[in-house]
Every structure is written in structure tokens, then in C-alpha cells.
């Protein structure tokens, strides 16, 4: 049957190791591990987290909540979290990688592709803002990158309600190269008159 194990070693506010390993009823095993410095009394932390690749078996358990499935693929990632000044300031860096992923929706599935999402953000409660320094998404098949999107400049998000009127929209650049349309069209609309095609495009939106 399914199971999980949890281990943590904390010495003098130093999180030497933390690991969470779980196993599904098919014997597939994944783990989440973390290490670093942690002082909750001071509101300070510097923690690195690693997620071992999750197989489609476990992904399907999560996808069921959104009504989608995974024909194949795995998902893993790394996170770096820093909290300082009594929790008033912090940074978060993350990178997620999906390998050979195909998403099922009904009787259709997306093309098998590798995906990568990376992001870096900082926040400052004293200044009342959250800054997305970097946000990038990329999809590839083999050596060919067929879709890419990224912030063209840092995006400042106001945390104070009184400044919402001055909120600037993010500017995102995108790139498509010979993106196959037919699998996506089938997912969106079963009776579409367009049965096949490809798309090349680049530009920006905000």
C-alpha cells in the first residue's frame, strides 16, 4: 500500500536536513528534502529545497483535482528561500523541470515535450511591494525550443491596497517556432474545422 516517512534534524537553529519520502500503491517512491538555517523566533531563514522527479502516477493524483491526466512524464524542481529582517524581507528562487510530459484531457493528449519554469522574486513589507525579477517558461522537444515566454523587465506588484491604482501591468515577451496546432485545437474544441497546422510567432503582451 501507499506510505510516507518523515525525518528532520535541527541543531541550534540550523536545519541540517529534512526529508519527506512517500510511496504510492504501485511502489513508486519520491522525496522532498531541505537543508539550511532556520530561526523562526527571529523571522530569519535560508533554506534550499529539492524535489525529486515525481512520476506520472503521482502527478495523476494531483491532476485529478483539475480534471486532467498525465499520459507520461515526470516533474521535479529546486527552491531557494531567504527570509530576513524579522520576516519583513525575503527572496524566493525556483526552477521546475518537467521531462517527457504529455497532458491528457478527455480522449486527447498534448505532444510529448520537456518544460522548464524558472522564477526569482523579492518582497519588502517595509516598502509595500513584491518584485518579480525573473519569470521564464520554455517548452522543447529534443534540441528544438518551440515555445518560450519571459518577463521583459522586472515587474513590481504593490502589496498596499492604497497603491493598487498605480499598479503596472507585467510585460511578457513570447516566442513560438513551428508549434503544432492540431493537438492543442483538439483539446480546446473537438469539432474545430482546422485539423492540422503549425504556428510561428514572436512578440510581447502586457
Amino acid at each position: 500500500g501507499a506510505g510516507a516517512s518523515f525525518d528532520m534534524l535541527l541543531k541550534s537553529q540550523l536545519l541540517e536536513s529534512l526529508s519527506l519520502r512517500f510511496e504510492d500503491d504501485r511502489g513508486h517512491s519520491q522525496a522532498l528534502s531541505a537543508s539550511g538555517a532556520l530561526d523562526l523566533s527571529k523571522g530569519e531563514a535560508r533554506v534550499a529545497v529539492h524535489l525529486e522527479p515525481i512520476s506520472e502516477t503521482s502527478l495523476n493524483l494531483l491532476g485529478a483535482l483539475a480534471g486532467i491526466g498525465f499520459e507520461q512524464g515526470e516533474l521535479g524542481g529546486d527552491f531557494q528561500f531567504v527570509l530576513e529582517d524579522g520576516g519583513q524581507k525575503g527572496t524566493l528562487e525556483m526552477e521546475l523541470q518537467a521531462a517527457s510530459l504529455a497532458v491528457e484531457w478527455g480522449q486527447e493528449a498534448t505532444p510529448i515535450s520537456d518544460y522548464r519554469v524558472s522564477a526569482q522574486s523579492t518582497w519588502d513589507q517595509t516598502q509595500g511591494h513584491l518584485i518579480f525579477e525573473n519569470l521564464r517558461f520554455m517548452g522543447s522537444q529534443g534540441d528544438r525550443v518551440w515555445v518560450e515566454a519571459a518577463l521583459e523587465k522586472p515587474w513590481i506588484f504593490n502589496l498596499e491596497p492604497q497603491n493598487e491604482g498605480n499598479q503596472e501591468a507585467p510585460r511578457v515577451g513570447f516566442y513560438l517556432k513551428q508549434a503544432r496546432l492540431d493537438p492543442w485545437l483538439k483539446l480546446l474544441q473537438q469539432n474545430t474545422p482546422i485539423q492540422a497546422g503549425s504556428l510561428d510567432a514572436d512578440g510581447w503582451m502586457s
Side-chain angles (χ1 to χ4, degrees):
S5 62
F6 176 78
D7 297 291
M8 183 174 70
L9 180 59
L10 183 64
K11 292 183 178 180
S12 302
Q13 309 300 337
L14 178 64
L15 182 64
E16 292 192 348
S17 66
L18 179 151
S19 65
L20 173 64
R21 179 170 293 277
F22 53 96
E23 184 175 296
D24 59 32
D25 54 9
R26 296 186 181 182
H28 296 98
S29 176
Q30 286 85 36
L32 179 73
S33 60
S35 62
L38 179 66
D39 192 335
L40 297 179
S41 64
K42 295 182 179 180
E44 297 179 351
R46 186 177 297 272
V47 179
V49 180
H50 174 68
L51 175 64
E52 288 185 3
I54 300 174
S55 67
E56 71 274 7
T57 304
S58 299
L59 287 175
N60 278 320
L61 296 177
L62 300 175
L65 300 175
I68 61 175
F70 295 89
E71 186 176 74
Q72 69 174 75
E74 58 183 26
L75 175 68
D78 291 282
F79 306 82
Q80 297 280 343
F81 176 70
V82 176
L83 189 65
E84 52 191 2
D85 288 354
Q88 294 296 303
K89 299 179 181 179
T91 63
L92 174 65
E93 297 182 34
M94 58 159 280
E95 183 170 296
L96 292 174
Q97 307 97 22
S100 302
L101 192 69
V103 180
E104 293 177 325
W105 198 314
Q107 301 299 315
E108 303 296 337
T110 62
I112 298 172
S113 294
D114 297 328
Y115 299 98
R116 184 182 299 270
V117 180
S118 59
Q120 179 183 2
S121 62
T122 62
W123 71 90
D124 188 336
Q125 291 281 8
T126 62
Q127 298 295 322
H129 61 227
L130 169 66
I131 303 177
F132 289 91
E133 305 280 356
N134 173 54
L135 181 60
R136 182 177 298 274
F137 169 81
M138 184 177 69
S140 61
Q141 294 173 320
D143 295 330
R144 184 177 71 87
V145 176
W146 64 270
V147 60
E148 187 170 5
L151 285 175
E152 293 198 336
K153 63 177 183 178
W155 178 45
I156 301 176
F157 180 80
N158 295 318
L159 299 175
E160 301 294 339
Q162 63 268 27
N163 294 328
E164 288 182 355
N166 299 322
Q167 182 65 59
E168 180 182 2
R171 184 181 174 94
V172 179
F174 65 90
Y175 163 91
L176 289 168
K177 181 65 175 178
Q178 296 179 359
R180 289 179 52 204
L181 296 179
D182 41 311
W184 303 98
L185 291 172
K186 289 178 181 178
L187 286 176
L188 297 174
Q189 184 179 349
Q190 296 292 331
N191 298 319
T192 176
I194 302 175
Q195 297 300 316
S198 64
L199 178 65
D200 294 272
D202 66 83
W204 60 270
M205 58 185 177
S206 63

